[in-house]
Structure formats: C-alpha cells, structure tokens
C-alpha cells in the first residue's frame, strides 16, 4: 500500500507551513544603499508629482495646434532644455525642445524633429507632422504618480530598481524588517569536518553546513546566526534545539528525520512544543522531510541528511518559508520554467526534484545522479526542475537554481 501523505505536492506543504509562520516585526532604519535585498516595513510615498510638470517625450518643437495649418516657415523663438525653466512660447512661433525639458505654457503638442524641415532660425512642417494630435509627445505632470500616493508598498523586497524609485522621490533611507535569524544544525555521529585528517570509510565530511549556509547567504533578508553540529543523542539535540529556537526565528536541521532508531528530530520537535505539519512528502529526493512550527510561529524544518536531499530541500522549502517570515509580500513568486532536453523515458510516481544543467535560454539537460548522496552530480548541476508524478513530456517545468 502506498504511504499516505499529509500533502500531495510541495507547494501545498509550503502553503500549510507558511500560513502558520509569524513574520518578524522589528525594524531596522538603514540608508537606501544598505537596503538592497531587505523588505520594506512601510510604504514609500511620492513627495511630489512624477513627472513634476509637463515634459517633452521627444526632441522636437513645442507648438500650438493652430500652427499645423501653416504651410510657410515658422520662426523658432527659443529653446527648452532639461534642467532649466521653460522658454516662453511667443505668438506665431515655436520653441525648440529636448527630451525631458519642461513644456512651455501654451504648448499643445510636441512635433518630432524628424517631422520638420529645419531652416535657419525657422522650421517648416512636413506632412507627417500634420497628423499630430493634441498632447502629442507630451508626458503630463503626475502621470507616473501623484504627490502623496504610494509608489512602493510595505512588504516589497528592495532591489536596484526599487532603490531608483526611492531616490526619485527623495527617500534616501527606509525602515525595513530586520533580517530573519536562522540556525543550521547538522546531525550524525558519522559526520565531521576532518580538516586535518582523512576520514575513515565510515565517516563523512560535513558538506551540509556549507551548502545550506551558502544557499541562504545571498538572501539579504535572511542571516545565518548559528551553524552547529549535534551527535545522535536525544538529550543533546533537545538542549541545542531549545537554545537555538529561543535565539532565532527558524531552525534548519539535516539528518535524524527518518524512521531509524537514532532519528530523534520528530520527537524533539514535539517535546519542545512544536507542531509537526508534515512528516514525509511524495518527493524525490527528500521524501522524509519534516516541517514544523512553534506556538510562536517559528519555523523548524527537518531535512534528510543525504547532501543532495538537504540541498534540494533547503532551496525548495526553506527559502520561500524564510522569505515569508521576512515580511515579503511576493515570497512565493512564480518560478522560471525550462524544457528538458534528452530527458530519457524514466518517470516517477512522486514529484521529481531532478538535477539539471542549463544549456541555453529556457533549456536544460538532466544531470545523471547515482542517488541523494552523489555530491559529484550535485556539483555538476545548476539547479533542479520539479516534474509531477508520472510525467516526462515536452512541457516546461519550474526551475530552481542554486544562485
């Protein structure tokens, strides 16, 4: 009989955890340049209209619509340039104007320079110019945003694009949510660093501490506060988890989530008062994954100890959940999709988180893996795709990269 799972796909499991998580509430006040990757705590409001007044969208000539009926040459009485007050539009004359310059009072349209014949101190309209409509090539004051309106909403993760918006409205500092504090705990008597000695055949170097910390490091709204290793001892694990969940907003663990005699994580989570939302999902790799939440809304994520499972699980599950805790509104934004080349004929009755290497725009090829302990295949991959049960066709699948 097939095992019964609390949730039949990764997205449903993530959503179930996310609705129970408590976002951080504390605020950091930072200069704008230091806000990159952080999450806005409050709206950014326009301090003036954008544009601040009517401006030209083209290099050309500011005119009155009546001018277009003239077939003779029309004098150019002045020019409007960016960074200066607008020239005065004289009767029976036009003003030369540049992109971004203020439109003179009385101007009803801007005619592109290439739609005119330029003479010495005057212009003549070509036939294309006579098709212009009122307001042609004029950007109206306030058409981007009116003063007093929100231009960036609370919960926005700030990138270079948003910093440009902030600067445009004089917002050179901002209140942002503090970073989510994370503890990483790896487990296993067989796991160690072995920096100065060759491990025995029954021992493993601790790759999980590096892969998980490296995955989280680019997430500026997340900070890894502690990285610990715990032996397979219930009392030690309970004490360490209790300490770290008190100090941090989330604890990520690797190992100890299966059904073996030394897999204590499920019991320890419950002993600490946490609620296990799921234990086991129909995925490969990472089927024994455990997701729990404390009474105060902190995350406990138990990842399998095998390094491919742990790394894939951190990318697929931990990062969106931690983004939710960071206060981000679009914490679970849609993924890029790619098509598999040379996918073969094998299918799985599970959601296959399949290692791939990108080969071109929107295209990837599978990385052959010997299993969830194959760190060589992991190192050859650029990420993984999520393929639904029993599927292997030409559709595009969600792609999760390591960057």
């Amino acid at each position: 009989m097939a095992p019964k799972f609390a949730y039949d796909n990764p997205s449903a499991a993530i959503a179930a955890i996310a609705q129970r998580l408590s976002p951080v509430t504390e605020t950091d006040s930072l200069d704008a340049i230091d806000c990159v990757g952080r999450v806005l705590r409050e709206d950014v409001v326009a301090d003036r209209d954008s544009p601040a007044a009517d401006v030209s969208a083209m290099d050309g000539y500011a005119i009155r619509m009546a001018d277009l009926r003239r077939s003779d040459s029309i004098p150019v009485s002045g020019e409007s340039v960016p960074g200066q007050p607008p020239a005065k539009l004289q009767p029976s004359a036009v003003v030369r104007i540049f992109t971004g310059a203020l439109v003179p009072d009385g101007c009803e349209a801007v005619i592109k320079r290439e739609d005119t014949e330029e003479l010495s101190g005057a212009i003549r309209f070509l036939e294309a110019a006579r098709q212009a409509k009122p307001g042609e090539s004029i950007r109206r004051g306030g058409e981007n945003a009116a003063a007093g309106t929100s231009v960036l909403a609370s919960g926005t993760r700030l990138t270079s694009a948003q910093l440009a918006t902030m600067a445009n409205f004089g917002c050179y500092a901002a209140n942002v949510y503090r970073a989510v504090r994370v503890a990483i705990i790896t487990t296993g008597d067989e796991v160690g660093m072995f920096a100065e000695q060759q491990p025995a055949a029954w021992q493993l170097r601790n790759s999980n501490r590096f892969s998980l910390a490296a995955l989280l490091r680019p997430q500026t709204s997340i900070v890894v506060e502690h990285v610990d290793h715990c032996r397979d001892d219930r009392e030690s694990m309970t004490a360490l988890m209790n300490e770290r969940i008190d100090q941090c907003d989330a604890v990520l663990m690797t190992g100890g989530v299966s059904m073996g005699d030394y897999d204590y994580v499920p019991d320890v989570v419950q002993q600490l008062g946490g609620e296990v939302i799921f234990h086991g999902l129909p995925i490969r790799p990472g089927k024994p994954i455990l997701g729990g939440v404390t009474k105060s809304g902190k995350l406990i994520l138990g990842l399998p100890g095998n390094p491919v499972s742990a790394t894939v699980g951190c990318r697929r599950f931990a990062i969106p959940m931690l983004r939710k805790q960071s206060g981000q509104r679009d914490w679970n934004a849609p993924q890029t999709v790619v098509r598999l080349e040379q996918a073969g004929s094998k299918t799985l009755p599970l959601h296959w988180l399949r290692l791939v290497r990108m080969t071109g725009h929107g295209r990837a090829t599978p990385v052959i893996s010997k299993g969830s302990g194959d760190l060589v295949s992991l190192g050859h991959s650029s990420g993984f795709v999520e393929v639904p049960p029993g599927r292997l066709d030409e559709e595009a699948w969600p792609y999760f990269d390591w960057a």
Side-chain angles (χ1 to χ4, degrees):
M1 179 181 296
K4 296 183 68 174
F5 298 100
Y7 301 95
D8 63 4
N9 65 80
S11 294
I14 290 169
I17 290 273
Q19 68 181 357
R20 294 169 169 85
L21 294 175
S22 297
V24 296
T25 57
E26 296 90 343
T27 299
D28 291 332
S29 296
L30 302 175
D31 291 339
I33 197 64
D34 296 322
C35 290
V36 177
R38 301 294 290 274
V39 180
L40 272 177
R41 184 70 173 83
E42 55 195 27
D43 289 5
V44 174
V45 175
D47 66 336
R48 64 175 184 168
D49 288 349
S50 175
D54 293 354
V55 297
S56 178
M58 292 285 178
D59 291 346
Y61 294 91
I63 69 160
R64 298 178 178 89
M65 293 304 294
D67 297 334
L68 294 176
R69 294 195 292 268
R70 296 177 56 174
S71 57
D72 60 332
S73 63
I74 304 176
V76 178
S77 63
E79 64 179 24
S80 285
V81 298
Q84 297 292 332
K88 186 174 181 181
L89 186 60
Q90 302 290 348
S92 300
V94 298
V95 167
R96 188 180 183 190
I97 194 166
F98 295 86
T99 303
L102 294 186
V103 171
D105 288 342
C107 167
E108 296 173 313
V110 171
I111 301 302
K112 292 185 291 187
R113 185 179 182 185
E114 54 265 38
D115 289 343
T116 68
E117 179 186 356
E118 295 182 315
L119 309 170
S120 178
I123 64 166
R124 184 178 288 112
F125 293 119
L126 300 178
E127 189 58 35
R130 303 185 193 283
Q131 310 305 312
K133 301 290 191 297
E136 188 92 13
S137 297
I138 296 175
R139 296 182 56 225
R140 297 300 183 187
E143 71 175 31
N144 297 333
T149 61
S150 173
V151 292
L152 292 174
S154 174
T156 299
R157 179 178 175 272
L158 298 173
T159 68
S160 56
Q162 286 77 44
L163 293 189
T165 301
M166 290 167 58
N168 184 63
F169 295 100
C171 184
Y172 302 121
N175 291 327
V176 295
Y177 289 102
R178 71 156 172 81
V180 177
R181 299 172 184 140
V182 179
I184 296 171
I185 302 175
T186 59
T187 68
D189 291 347
E190 75 281 18
V191 177
M193 292 296 290
F194 307 110
E196 298 178 359
Q197 66 187 77
Q198 189 78 6
W202 59 87
Q203 295 175 316
L204 299 171
R205 290 191 173 99
N206 192 343
S207 62
N208 287 339
R209 66 179 289 135
F210 294 99
S211 63
L212 270 60
L215 270 171
L216 300 183
R217 189 167 189 173
Q219 306 288 323
T220 317
S221 60
I222 300 167
V223 60
V224 177
E225 291 277 291
H226 303 279
V227 181
D228 303 291
H229 183 73
C230 184
R231 297 181 65 84
D232 291 324
D233 176 77
R234 187 190 299 269
E235 291 185 5
S236 299
M237 187 179 297
T238 302
L240 181 58
M241 281 188 66
N242 191 49
E243 182 177 1
R244 294 298 180 242
I245 204 65
D246 183 58
Q247 298 167 331
C248 298
D249 306 297
V251 173
L252 309 184
M253 303 190 68
T254 67
V257 294
S258 296
M259 302 298 178
D261 291 342
Y262 299 99
D263 294 325
Y264 302 128
V265 172
D267 291 341
V268 171
V269 171
Q270 293 178 322
Q271 186 175 337
L272 295 176
E275 179 186 2
V276 175
I277 308 302
F278 59 80
H279 185 193
L281 291 173
I283 60 174
R284 184 182 294 176
K287 188 175 177 181
I289 188 170
L290 179 145
V293 181
T294 69
K295 291 179 180 178
S296 59
K298 296 184 177 184
L299 172 66
I300 301 175
L301 186 64
L303 301 165
N306 283 329
V308 177
S309 299
T311 308
V312 167
C314 181
R315 177 65 182 88
R316 181 66 181 95
F317 293 88
I319 287 181
M321 293 177 186
L322 295 172
R323 286 175 176 167
K324 174 66 159 54
Q325 287 186 282
S326 75
Q328 224 175 301
R329 288 187 307 142
D330 58 347
W331 59 271
N332 202 21
Q335 291 297 129
T336 300
V337 294
V338 302
R339 296 183 184 278
L340 285 184
E341 299 175 330
Q342 302 175 351
S345 58
K346 181 180 178 181
T347 64
L348 293 179
L350 308 166
H351 291 268
W352 193 356
L353 309 179
R354 191 175 187 184
L355 297 180
V356 298
R357 178 175 53 82
M358 292 299 295
T359 56
H361 180 67
R363 303 192 310 277
T365 186
V367 173
I368 303 304
S369 176
K370 301 297 194 300
S372 55
D374 186 355
L375 279 160
V376 176
S377 66
L378 183 65
H380 289 171
S381 68
S382 56
F384 60 92
V385 293
E386 184 174 319
V387 182
R391 297 291 295 277
L392 193 63
D393 50 35
E394 294 302 316
E395 286 193 35
W397 307 116
Y399 171 66
F400 302 81
D401 63 22
W402 302 132

